[in-house]
Amino acid sequence: MGKLRILVADDHAILRQGMRRLIEAEPDLQVVAEAQDGSEVPALVAAHQPDIVVLDLSMPQVGGVETLRQLRAAQATCKVLVLTVHEDRSYLREVLEAGALGYMLKRAAAAELIDAIRSIARGQAFVDARITTELVNLLTVPPPRHSADAPELTVRELDTLRYIAEGYSNKEIGAVMELSVKTVETYKARAMRKLGLLSRVDIVRIARERRWPAVTLRRPSGKT
């Protein structure tokens, strides 16, 4: 039986190199390609036909969720393990709905990465044990109902949700709105609480329901 072919996608070169060394220390695994951004992944998948893609969720140009959608649109047969720092269920829901088979935290032990790769290679879903309860919640908590008389959002709260609905990261939103990532998180949390939303998927859904105009990133005023 041949080795499992793996593509590693992460915008941090040191992390990619570390994962390559870890993976290739196993006799049944090999890294066939590396990507530093999600924009590179579809072409590399087509060229190298990996069995597994280890995919960073947060990359600067094209993030993990959009990359998953592109792979699904291309009918790629590889299985995807998402590697992330995010532990809340909004990201977990979004990633699973986009087609990932595994979700693993970056703070996990090195040996867990190998276990996760082998699990999804067998077609078994893998969710980091630290957030297994979040998976249970996703399967048992019904989608939120959006009240017609929900409190109105502030301009900042609305802008934050509109950017999120378009797939931008908190870091990207903070840069364009000239806010810290923590402040963006605060606006996001307040807005979601007002509207009864549980996840980014819910934000996208309500943006469509309310027909919010699409937004694109623009440079902060006074900056070049």
Side-chain angles (χ1 to χ4, degrees):
M1 183 176 178
K3 294 184 177 183
L4 282 174
R5 298 167 57 81
I6 300 164
L7 185 154
V8 175
D10 194 294
D11 59 317
H12 293 95
I14 292 176
L15 286 178
R16 289 199 313 272
Q17 293 164 10
M19 283 190 283
R20 175 184 279 273
R21 286 195 296 269
L22 178 66
I23 291 167
E24 294 193 332
E26 301 297 317
D28 58 330
L29 308 178
Q30 65 174 328
V31 175
V32 296
E34 295 181 18
Q36 62 181 358
D37 190 76
S39 60
E40 302 172 355
V41 171
L44 289 172
V45 166
H48 296 276
Q49 295 295 306
D51 302 299
I52 307 290
V53 175
V54 179
L55 181 67
D56 182 19
L57 182 60
S58 302
M59 289 180 284
Q61 301 301 320
V62 177
V65 173
E66 179 57 30
T67 302
L68 281 163
R69 292 172 180 153
Q70 291 177 9
L71 291 175
R72 184 165 59 184
Q75 299 183 328
T77 59
C78 57
K79 299 178 177 69
V80 180
L81 170 65
V82 166
L83 199 59
T84 179
V85 297
H86 300 295
E87 302 187 30
D88 63 272
R89 71 180 180 184
S90 63
Y91 291 100
L92 177 59
R93 179 196 293 268
E94 194 171 18
V95 162
L96 295 179
E97 291 186 352
L101 193 56
Y103 190 94
M104 182 176 179
L105 300 179
K106 285 189 173 182
R107 65 186 179 92
E112 292 179 69
L113 174 62
I114 302 302
D115 290 341
I117 288 171
R118 289 180 175 144
S119 291
I120 70 170
R122 294 191 296 267
Q124 299 172 350
F126 181 96
V127 176
D128 196 297
R130 298 161 189 80
I131 48 174
T132 299
T133 53
E134 296 292 351
L135 179 59
V136 173
N137 288 337
L138 292 184
L139 298 175
T140 58
V141 177
R145 297 176 63 85
H146 307 307
S147 172
D149 58 356
E152 286 300 314
L153 302 178
T154 67
V155 173
R156 287 290 203 181
E157 290 167 351
L158 177 58
D159 285 347
T160 298
L161 291 194
R162 288 173 65 196
Y163 281 120
I164 291 171
E166 293 299 320
Y168 296 115
S169 68
N170 292 338
K171 183 177 180 180
E172 291 170 324
I173 296 168
V176 73
M177 293 177 66
E178 299 182 285
L179 302 170
S180 69
V181 171
K182 184 176 181 180
T183 301
V184 172
E185 285 281 5
T186 298
Y187 284 129
K188 171 188 169 185
R190 287 177 183 171
M192 292 178 70
R193 187 163 53 248
K194 286 181 179 181
L195 299 179
L197 308 181
L198 296 176
S199 71
R200 283 176 175 252
V201 174
D202 294 329
I203 295 172
V204 172
R205 185 181 300 115
I206 199 171
R208 291 172 179 169
E209 289 175 0
R210 298 191 176 191
R211 298 183 180 180
W212 290 343
V215 290
T216 55
L217 288 179
R218 62 188 185 283
R219 294 184 183 275
S221 59
K223 296 186 179 182
T224 59

